[in-house]
Amino acid sequence: MFRRHDKSSQANGDNVTIYFEDAPIICKPTDSVAAAVLLSDPGYTRRTPVTKAPRAPYCMMGTCFECLMDINGVENQQACMVPVRDGMKVRRQNGVPVLPEDSKEPEND
Amino acid sequence: MTDSADLIVIGAGPAGLAAASLASKHNLSIMLLDEQAAPGGQIYRNIEHNVTHESEICAILGAEYAYGAALAETCRASDVTYTPGATVWRIDPDGGVAYSVDGAAHTAKGRRIILATGALERPVPIPGWTLPGVMTAGAAQTLLKSSAMLPSGRVVVAGAGPLAMLVTLQLIDAGADIAALLETTRKRDYFSNAMLLPGAMAGQDYLRRGMAMRRAIRASGVPIYGGVTELEARGDGQVSSVRGRSGGERLTFEIDTLLLHDGVVPNIQATRQVGCEHEWYDPQRYWRPVRDSWGTTSIDTITVAGDGAGISGARAAEYLGQLAALDAACRLDKINMADRDSAARPIRSAMQPHTAIRPLLDGIFSPSFTTPHGDDTIVCRCEEVTAGEIRTAVAQGVMGPNQIKSFTRCGMGPCQGRNCGLTVAELIADVQGVPVSDVGYFRLRPPIKPVTLGELAAMDFSETDS
Amino acid sequence: MFGAAIAYGLSRAGVDTLMLDGHDNNLRAARGNFGLVWVQSKGKGLQRYADWSRESARLWSGFAAELTDITGVSIAHRNDGGMMLLLGDEEVEKRKIEIAEMSKQSGATGYDCEIITHADIQAYFPDIKLGKAVTGASFCPHDGDVNPLKLLRAMHSGFVNSGGRYKSRCTVNNIDHANGVFTANTQQGQFSAPKIILAAGHGISHLAESVGIDAPIRPQRGQVLITERIQQALPIPLNGVRQTDEGGFQFGSSEEDIGFDDGTSLDVVQNIASRAVQSFPQLSTVRLVRNWGCVRVLTPDKCAIYEESISHPGAYVATSHSGVTLAAINARLVSKWIATGEQPTDFNHFSASRFHVQAT
Ligand SMILES: Cc1cc2nc3c(=O)[nH]c(=O)nc-3n(C[C@H](O)[C@H](O)[C@H](O)COP(=O)(O)OP(=O)(O)OC[C@H]3O[C@@H](n4cnc5c(N)ncnc54)[C@H](O)[C@@H]3O)c2cc1C
Ligand code: FES
């Protein structure tokens, strides 16, 4: 759906790799997760909780919440507001999120 | 821990940067919070990186964009404590602010707060606007600014407002394949607003630039259609075409990306949540906080500056930020009223041409998509509530937006009504035959951005001095 | 909630009923409440009220089915019991004493509520791990919950569908009484009827006074938190945590005596959040989307007032906290009492005169 401008300095220089549905995407440290995913022609990035309709990023500025995705195992994150980090694992979320598995039990005080 | 400061400025766009920079000259301790990774706001997004690393992108975005570099630089050089990546999710009338950085919640206390949270693009509820591949024009521009990215397939830009034209032109310059610009504005909107021209004379520059953009788009071979109605996005799981009607002509374009725009409206999440009074601005059909000539709202400790106070553009935003800063310095006893007023005089006259143009722009680009025509169009994207469901509930006697919210879940999702609040109020007003100003708006509750329970549980309220 | 339930019952019984309601932004406990159909904490000091709550809980299943039947709105009623989670031994001990007291008060009727262990609780919730801070819970088989917003909507449309008339933005300023007819003076004009029911929540006291009933009501704020939607993991409600049918986890509620302020405060939010993650640690990465204050309508003993005026026969007062729990019995028995005069057993226990014992 989107491509990098060919005269952009970002076409070379430092690279970061993230994994979208296990497929690598090579991107820049300044990209948001949503921007990086849009480079890969994702089609959709989530399905809605109500009717399971496909959706994709709409506003890219944190206001529409259409870009909610599973980032490193935690769902419902605004992908347009989260900067990429090397090795990140990103997935579409499918309707209502599941509870994250690992639970750090808080210490009782 | 609760940090304290004389002044907390929220938003590092032109308004917030200018406010923080000027206030720091008056010996106020200042915290500047913004959720983006770098200063600039929407207009000067990613300015620091682009001016140093992306000459090609800067050339596309033009001199107006490059102008922002100095604003960011001045603020960086000042004593302002700037925290990027800080999402503010709660504001209290006593100057309390709660925000999150990297998954940790913090609290701060300011003697005063300046809210400079800018604008949002108005919702464009047309059939098919939820399809993947349909985005706002601003979203495409954001991708260009922050990631040097552009749509790879065929694009149509549709709607109204100066930004629709600007983005079209920038994307053409970037090398995107634009099939057409579909403007809902009619020729007669330009003429019927000509009476506003004398008042706008001071802002001639804006008009000249507008006309130049239009000529440049045409010159590039991209057709512009005016007075477009019955706009509709189509596709199966992904947008594949856009339709509309212009004059007698039916239009259909096969596309990969549809960019919608219908002007921008103040981002009132924060001012609503903290409880400021708002007023309805009819020419552009939006709510804005009630404020005095310095931007101070009905809550004495809280001042608004920039587009969040009412849309007046980036240059005016900067001046409004400065006025807010002077008033803060005065109220916090750093300068007296006479000094405040004399310092404000040149700022007000420099601002004049930028605000004089507004009535004309507001008249020409009056919003086109306030109420969806059909019943099947989705109004609330989060909870998937249609225009028909809202009309039915209103016909059954539902009294206002808050009851609509509890009856239909419209506005209850994570966006908290940012994409449906205006449409719902317009629909209720339409069915009940009353002005929108009587209908009111959603009662906005904190947090204005979602925050995890773990963060809330771990908050520490013990006080520190900054 | 009280008014809507009674009006629904009346119009279902064929009584020509007009419901007058205030503005969209009025304090409205019906829109902010927690959605519990709750028995275990009700009626301390007034056994008739404990029984009344349990009776309503029993009527609830039929009532919910009827609402869905006639309006098509499914209101997500559950009646498989409910728990009050207890964190730490102190809370368990305190609750044991309360249970002993309630058992004594209830005599032959019995107080169906028992303390269960951490392992017992976990067995109820296979899909979410219980925090080790949870040391026990009191379980009551009569407790349950409902989606309160859908309930309000269903009662509203059931009322309209059966011929009831509804007027909003119609705040009643005062009431006149002459020749057996009551006239409500509102900003939208006058409305008259031989009978008038006052169920105006926080707005009730001065209206009640004008028909000769003293209805002492005080506000108490409860703050509530709701999260984004999550897959279902709580098949039964807990008193401070429940999961809505849409998936949001709801947490609450504080008890704050601070007047009519329906705002929120960070310290209370933190307490509630901290209790939530101690109870269910997996929730720590789940996001809060909204936090609100809801002002409870409390009588001095927290039990309901139902009373017909002696000086102005035909004028009734019906008010209490717990409008959701009591919706079923309000729609059934209370509306019948108003329509036909047929009083439920020992109904005089609910008269507001109980607050003036010395005077009588
Ligand atoms: C997408 C978009 C693109 C635009 N592009 C152009 C353009 O190219 N040319 C033009 O002339 N005008 C453009 N405009 C209009 C222009 O943005 C405004 O006129 C100008 O930016 C107003 O300045 P401001 O300082 O009031 O707000 P902004 O520049 O919008 O700054 C607001 C800042 O507040 C921050 N913020 C908001 N909420 C929170 C929160 N809860 N916590 C922390 N921080 C927060 C935001 O991150 C942002 O940095 C655009 C508007 C939008 C919405
Ligand atoms: S794309 Fe709109 S919030 Fe991320």
Side-chain angles (χ1 to χ4, degrees):
Chain A
M1 251 190 334
F2 279 77
R3 64 180 167 90
R4 195 83 69 184
H5 192 277
D6 38 21
K7 296 223 184 84
S8 163
S9 66
Q10 298 182 39
N12 39 53
D14 303 346
N15 285 332
V16 162
T17 306
I18 68 163
Y19 298 86
F20 171 57
E21 301 290 345
D22 301 322
I25 298 175
I26 303 193
C27 52
K28 294 289 146 186
T30 44
D31 288 334
S32 65
V33 172
V37 167
L38 285 172
L39 280 173
S40 77
D41 242 330
Y44 69 99
T45 54
R46 70 160 185 142
R47 286 190 181 276
T48 58
V50 185
T51 66
K52 297 274 167 89
R55 296 283 173 86
Y58 175 74
C59 76
M60 291 305 289
M61 59 176 276
T63 64
C64 75
F65 293 75
E66 290 292 9
C67 61
L68 296 177
M69 294 182 81
D70 171 342
I71 301 177
N72 285 340
V74 181
E75 294 190 65
N76 262 359
Q77 303 210 59
Q78 272 182 297
C80 75
M81 302 300 286
V82 178
V84 291
R85 303 240 198 288
D86 206 28
M88 233 174 202
K89 293 191 172 53
V90 182
R91 295 186 179 279
R92 293 186 178 102
Q93 84 183 35
N94 192 10
V96 180
V98 294
L99 274 175
E101 258 165 43
D102 67 313
S103 56
K104 306 172 260 119
E105 173 115 5
E107 289 308 311
N108 291 336
D109 44 300
Chain B
M1 260 170 328
T2 303
D3 286 323
S4 56
D6 289 329
L7 182 62
I8 300 178
V9 180
I10 301 167
L17 289 171
S21 302
L22 182 57
S24 83
K25 283 196 191 155
H26 291 283
N27 290 321
L28 295 173
S29 61
I30 295 159
M31 286 178 71
L32 173 61
L33 305 172
D34 192 295
E35 65 180 330
Q36 291 187 34
Q42 301 310 341
I43 174 145
Y44 309 126
R45 183 183 277 272
N46 208 22
I47 183 77
E48 294 174 329
H49 174 85
N50 284 340
V51 291
T52 49
H53 293 88
E54 294 283 1
S55 52
E56 189 69 23
I57 300 301
C58 280
I60 294 166
L61 293 171
E64 265 180 79
Y65 176 74
Y67 173 90
L71 272 175
E73 202 180 312
T74 310
C75 188
R76 290 276 195 192
S78 72
D79 290 336
V80 171
T81 310
Y82 163 56
T83 311
T87 301
V88 173
W89 47 264
R90 178 186 173 109
I91 294 164
D92 284 299
D94 65 359
V97 170
Y99 61 100
S100 294
V101 183
D102 259 340
H106 304 264
T107 51
K109 182 95 177 231
R111 293 167 69 198
R112 298 192 61 75
I113 295 177
I114 294 180
L115 288 173
T117 53
L120 311 175
E121 288 175 275
R122 181 192 296 280
V124 190
I126 60 165
W129 71 309
T130 54
L131 285 169
V134 180
M135 300 176 105
T136 67
Q141 197 198 39
T142 296
L143 281 161
L144 188 61
K145 289 172 179 170
S146 59
S147 288
M149 280 166 55
L150 61 146
S152 47
R154 223 166 138 69
V155 184
V156 159
V157 183
L163 192 60
M165 236 189 300
L166 177 64
V167 171
T168 305
L169 191 57
Q170 290 171 340
L171 290 178
I172 292 170
D173 288 348
D177 175 14
I178 311 279
L181 168 61
L182 309 184
E183 285 195 311
T184 50
T185 313
R186 297 155 302 181
K187 269 225 178 68
R188 69 164 179 275
D189 296 326
Y190 288 91
F191 294 121
S192 64
N193 285 286
M195 61 190 231
L196 298 166
L197 255 180
M201 268 334 218
Q204 283 179 354
D205 208 29
Y206 282 88
L207 296 182
R208 262 201 304 275
R209 258 182 296 158
M211 281 174 322
M213 279 200 281
R214 189 170 283 281
R215 273 197 305 275
I217 294 171
R218 286 229 162 82
S220 75
V222 171
I224 303 178
Y225 294 85
V228 174
T229 56
E230 297 170 37
L231 204 59
E232 184 181 352
R234 295 206 170 193
D236 183 13
Q238 169 84 34
V239 70
S240 56
S241 68
V242 56
R243 301 182 178 204
R245 186 186 274 282
S246 172
E249 194 182 352
R250 275 196 173 286
L251 305 169
T252 305
F253 296 92
E254 304 297 316
I255 48 164
D256 302 290
T257 303
L258 173 62
L259 301 177
L260 297 174
H261 186 76
D262 196 20
V264 298
V265 298
N267 175 0
I268 51 171
Q269 300 300 118
T271 45
R272 286 265 177 200
Q273 180 260 303
V274 67
C276 298
E277 271 173 43
H278 289 72
E279 63 190 8
W280 178 250
Y281 177 61
D282 206 56
Q284 276 289 306
R285 307 192 76 76
Y286 60 59
W287 294 97
R288 64 186 181 193
V290 173
R291 69 248 173 268
D292 67 14
S293 65
W294 304 95
T296 296
T297 65
S298 60
I299 298 174
D300 197 51
T301 46
I302 295 179
T303 302
V304 285
D307 274 1
I311 302 303
S312 52
R315 294 300 299 280
E318 187 184 334
Y319 297 120
L320 290 166
Q322 292 173 349
L323 294 175
L326 288 175
D327 193 45
C330 178
R331 285 167 183 264
L332 296 173
D333 297 325
K334 302 289 180 187
I335 54 175
N336 62 32
M337 269 188 184
D339 289 345
R340 174 195 69 177
D341 294 350
S342 66
R345 225 163 283 130
I347 299 173
R348 290 192 197 277
S349 53
M351 183 166 76
Q352 205 274 337
H354 302 286
T355 48
I357 184 74
R358 280 296 140 184
L360 178 65
L361 293 181
D362 291 350
I364 295 177
F365 299 111
S366 63
S368 316
F369 303 103
T370 50
T371 46
H373 297 297
D375 277 346
D376 294 337
T377 306
I378 286 180
V379 169
C380 170
R381 300 178 65 109
C382 298
E383 296 289 333
E384 294 172 84
V385 183
T386 63
E389 288 170 70
I390 292 167
R391 288 193 176 106
T392 306
V394 181
Q396 281 188 358
V398 166
M399 56 189 120
N402 293 299
Q403 197 163 16
I404 283 284
K405 184 165 157 185
S406 54
F407 277 21
T408 65
R409 293 191 59 83
C410 183
M412 252 191 213
C415 98
Q416 296 212 331
R418 286 168 173 88
N419 270 299
C420 67
L422 282 168
T423 316
V424 167
E426 293 272 8
L427 279 169
I428 296 174
D430 190 44
V431 176
Q432 293 183 342
V434 298
V436 185
S437 50
D438 286 1
V439 170
Y441 196 75
F442 293 138
R443 169 93 186 263
L444 294 187
R445 297 289 202 162
I448 55 174
K449 281 285 187 121
V451 50
T452 67
L453 293 170
E455 281 177 71
L456 290 170
M459 280 186 305
D460 169 8
F461 301 122
S462 60
E463 298 201 2
T464 61
D465 282 319
S466 61
Chain C
M1 196 56 89
F2 256 65
I6 296 169
Y8 165 83
L10 287 172
S11 83
R12 286 287 292 161
V15 179
D16 176 20
T17 311
L18 171 69
M19 179 159 49
L20 301 177
D21 203 352
H23 285 256
D24 190 40
N25 51 7
N26 282 168
L27 278 183
R28 213 172 289 276
R31 253 175 7 207
N33 71 69
F34 210 74
L36 296 176
V37 175
W38 213 243
V39 177
Q40 65 169 286
S41 57
K42 302 293 166 61
K44 192 171 173 211
L46 186 59
Q47 184 57 31
R48 183 69 189 98
Y49 186 62
D51 295 341
W52 184 249
S53 301
R54 199 198 284 192
E55 223 171 309
S56 189
R58 214 172 13 241
L59 291 173
W60 244 105
S61 295
F63 176 59
E66 173 190 295
L67 277 176
T68 305
D69 214 35
I70 64 168
T71 65
V73 182
S74 157
I75 60 176
H77 173 242
R78 299 188 292 191
N79 189 19
D80 304 318
M83 291 178 198
M84 182 185 279
L85 281 192
L86 304 166
L87 274 56
D89 296 338
E90 213 174 294
E91 287 188 14
V92 174
E93 289 316 308
K94 194 169 151 241
R95 187 71 189 121
K96 277 185 181 158
I97 295 169
E98 286 167 1
I99 291 177
E101 282 170 5
M102 282 304 289
S103 302
K104 203 162 131 206
Q105 177 189 307
S106 58
T109 335
Y111 175 61
D112 283 344
C113 188
E114 54 171 356
I115 299 283
I116 59 175
T117 66
H118 182 100
D120 298 334
I121 307 166
Q122 184 67 76
Y124 275 94
F125 305 116
D127 298 325
I128 187 167
K129 197 171 160 285
L130 199 62
K132 45 180 195 282
V134 180
T135 46
S138 60
F139 177 84
C140 169
H142 308 299
D143 289 341
D145 67 349
V146 67
N147 182 317
L149 302 178
K150 289 183 178 165
L151 167 64
L152 193 59
R153 176 168 200 180
M155 289 194 301
H156 182 100
S157 68
F159 169 72
V160 175
N161 291 350
S162 355
R165 284 168 297 145
Y166 174 68
K167 271 207 139 343
S168 63
R169 293 194 203 146
C170 197
T171 305
V172 177
N173 300 322
N174 53 55
I175 297 164
D176 294 329
H177 183 225
N179 310 323
V181 173
F182 293 93
T183 302
N185 298 304
T186 79
Q187 66 211 114
Q188 288 196 41
Q190 296 186 319
F191 301 93
S192 298
K195 286 185 181 175
I196 188 162
I197 301 140
L198 305 178
H202 292 295
I204 211 168
S205 294
H206 88 276
L207 294 179
E209 211 177 289
S210 69
V211 296
I213 299 176
D214 176 36
I217 292 296
R218 75 185 163 92
Q220 183 193 57
R221 180 169 79 181
Q223 293 192 42
V224 180
L225 276 59
I226 189 151
T227 70
E228 60 200 1
R229 295 172 187 251
I230 289 288
Q231 253 176 22
Q232 290 297 332
L234 291 187
I236 67 167
L238 308 165
N239 74 314
V241 191
R242 79 178 196 96
Q243 192 174 15
T244 70
D245 51 315
E246 288 104 1
F249 273 77
Q250 218 176 22
F251 307 99
S253 330
S254 54
E255 299 189 348
E256 304 163 69
D257 295 308
I258 54 153
F260 290 102
D261 176 359
D262 69 347
T264 59
S265 64
L266 267 186
D267 50 339
V268 173
V269 170
Q270 182 190 33
N271 276 333
I272 296 176
S274 145
R275 205 175 160 93
V277 297
Q278 282 182 59
S279 306
F280 299 104
Q282 274 162 288
L283 295 179
S284 78
T285 55
V286 171
R287 275 171 252 296
L288 169 72
V289 291
R290 210 164 39 254
N291 158 217
W292 67 90
C294 172
V295 184
R296 295 187 188 92
V297 179
L298 282 192
T299 62
D301 61 1
K302 304 188 181 177
C303 302
I305 299 174
Y306 295 104
E307 182 167 352
E308 179 175 2
S309 169
I310 297 169
S311 57
H312 299 65
Y316 302 81
V317 163
T319 190
S320 177
H321 176 50
S322 307
V324 174
T325 304
L326 299 179
I329 208 160
N330 283 338
R332 295 274 200 268
L333 302 190
V334 176
S335 64
K336 192 163 169 196
W337 165 57
I338 289 164
T340 66
E342 189 183 316
Q343 275 204 4
T345 339
D346 289 340
F347 208 52
N348 57 339
H349 290 209
F350 295 125
S351 157
S353 63
R354 69 181 185 269
F355 305 121
H356 313 279
V357 202
Q358 308 93 313
T360 47

